[in-house]
Amino acid sequence: MKEELKRLREYLMTGVSYMIPIVVIGGVLIAFSIMLSGVKAGQGAVVDNDFLKKLMQIGSDAFSLMVPVLAGFIAYGIADRPGIAPGLVAGVLANDVKAGFLGGIIGGLLAGYIARWIKSWKIPKSLRPIMPIFIIPLLTSITVGLLMLYVLGGPISALMTSMTGGLKSMSSGSAVLLALIMGAMIAFDMGGPVNKVAFMFGSAMIQENIFTVMGPVAVAICVPPLAMGIASLVAPKKYSKTEQEAGKGAIAMGLIGITEGAIPFAAGDPLRVIPSIMVGSSIGAAIAALLKVGDHAPHGGPIVLPVVDNPLGFIVSVLVGIAITVLMVNLLKKPVSATEEVEEDSEGM
């Protein structure tokens, strides 16, 4: 069992190592564009300059590759080259069904294991040359694609609808409880469907001139990337060299309110990272609710401070959320082994 879990982590880290440059390119360019443009009350991040728009487009297009690359190279780690193409297909479909990076992980694992299984088939010698370039990718892509569309897509859509209804029914109750739940939702899949439900609900409340719902959401948005970036600086021995580099980009993304900056850490170690960022984000959001922090822009992170009610309360909430996440995740994580570092170095050569 331990050996299987170790191999699973290796597959995830293979996907993460290839995904991180995509996250950095996309996140930093988007962050740079927003930082120079700023945010406006009621509108969020508005990029008007033509050059910054082009940078924003490059960053957004790069970001759209994040989940396919993650899924593709998870599958590659499992099945070698025949797994790459079906893994990429699974990642694109995860984007299409709005399944986020968690959907990408599921798709990548499915593609990898199915491709590896097909590789084990006993076939005539005459067909062997076309197995890795035709038969394995085609059969795997069809199988994984149908699973992603029919099995994953429907439940996610139904889940989003039910979660939105649940948040609406809670909006007239305890503000702190609502903030706790929304904070956890924001951190759970970092830009995925659960995150989007909470974000869109907070944004909708701005249209109703209720700003104290988006305030806690804006706090929760930036806690995961800022906390994971700081955690990798505070305890570098618990993070690979690739993750340490990703941590610097995560801090930059967190300042601009891009939760996806924490995805490389969550994808590589979901069982420790996701609970930690959920706890930190939910507590940070709850403190923001207690302090009546309001946000007039559908965006998050310190960049929204000019349009925030009670900016000091916002800063305190973010700092508490970061501190809790850093403490929790670094207590849970174990030091990176020398073997993992050697494998990572060999991949980069």
Side-chain angles (χ1 to χ4, degrees):
M1 184 65 178
K2 284 185 177 180
E3 192 63 30
E4 278 297 318
L5 288 173
K6 183 181 178 182
R7 279 199 290 267
L8 181 60
R9 174 168 166 75
E10 288 172 1
Y11 302 148
L12 294 176
M13 288 308 299
T14 299
V16 168
S17 65
Y18 284 99
M19 176 188 70
I20 282 175
I22 299 292
V23 176
V24 172
I25 293 167
V28 170
L29 286 178
I30 292 171
F32 185 71
S33 303
I34 294 173
M35 180 179 66
L36 293 182
S37 302
V39 295
K40 298 178 182 178
Q43 299 180 54
V46 180
V47 180
D48 296 322
N49 181 275
D50 285 340
F51 177 71
L52 294 179
K53 280 183 180 178
K54 293 292 189 292
L55 288 184
M56 185 85 159
Q57 181 182 347
I58 296 169
S60 297
D61 288 346
F63 236 28
S64 70
L65 294 172
M66 177 177 64
V67 173
V69 168
L70 174 65
F73 283 95
I74 287 174
Y76 166 71
I78 298 169
D80 206 22
R81 288 187 180 183
I84 293 179
L88 291 169
V89 170
V92 171
L93 290 172
N95 279 341
D96 287 347
V97 301
K98 313 298 183 189
F101 90 96
L102 291 173
I105 289 176
I106 293 169
L109 291 172
L110 284 172
Y113 284 118
I114 292 170
R116 192 168 73 181
W117 172 61
I118 296 174
K119 278 175 67 177
S120 70
W121 291 358
K122 304 297 182 185
I123 60 163
K125 285 185 178 180
S126 59
L127 291 177
R128 287 178 188 172
I130 64 170
M131 281 291 287
I133 61 172
F134 181 73
I135 295 175
I136 297 173
L138 181 62
L139 293 180
T140 305
S141 295
I142 291 171
T143 306
V144 174
L146 292 175
L147 286 171
M148 296 292 288
L149 291 172
Y150 283 104
V151 178
L152 200 59
I156 287 175
S157 177
L159 180 65
M160 291 178 71
T161 301
S162 64
M163 285 190 297
T164 302
L167 290 177
K168 286 180 180 177
S169 66
M170 290 181 60
S171 60
S172 58
S174 167
V176 174
L177 179 60
L178 180 63
L180 278 168
I181 292 171
M182 293 182 71
M185 289 173 67
I186 287 291
F188 174 68
D189 56 358
M190 291 151 283
V194 177
N195 170 289
K196 287 292 190 291
V197 168
F199 176 79
M200 295 307 294
F201 183 74
S203 301
M205 291 296 99
I206 293 175
Q207 306 303 316
E208 303 292 327
N209 290 321
I210 300 172
F211 308 112
T212 50
V213 174
M214 192 63 204
V217 169
V219 168
I221 283 171
C222 66
V223 167
L226 289 174
M228 292 312 304
I230 292 169
S232 67
L233 295 176
V234 171
K237 291 183 179 178
K238 297 192 175 186
Y239 300 86
S240 67
K241 291 178 181 177
T242 304
E243 288 176 318
Q244 290 173 40
E245 290 302 312
K248 299 169 187 174
I251 291 172
M253 285 182 254
L255 293 172
I256 313 299
I258 302 176
T259 318
E260 288 89 341
I263 286 178
F265 300 93
D269 193 1
L271 296 181
R272 293 184 179 92
V273 173
I274 293 177
S276 300
I277 60 177
M278 286 177 68
V279 170
S281 288
S282 61
I283 292 176
I287 292 171
L290 282 169
L291 298 177
K292 300 193 184 305
V293 173
D295 180 11
H296 292 248
H299 202 75
I303 195 172
V304 301
L305 277 170
V307 293
V308 161
D309 298 327
N310 191 2
L312 180 60
F314 180 94
I315 293 170
V316 168
S317 303
V318 169
L319 291 177
V320 171
I322 290 171
I324 290 170
T325 299
V326 170
L327 182 63
M328 183 173 171
V329 76
N330 282 345
L331 283 173
L332 291 174
K333 286 182 76 70
K334 296 177 181 178
V336 175
S337 67
T339 305
E340 288 177 299
E341 288 288 5
V342 170
E343 288 175 353
E344 188 177 78
D345 289 342
S346 65
E347 281 180 5
M349 292 177 70

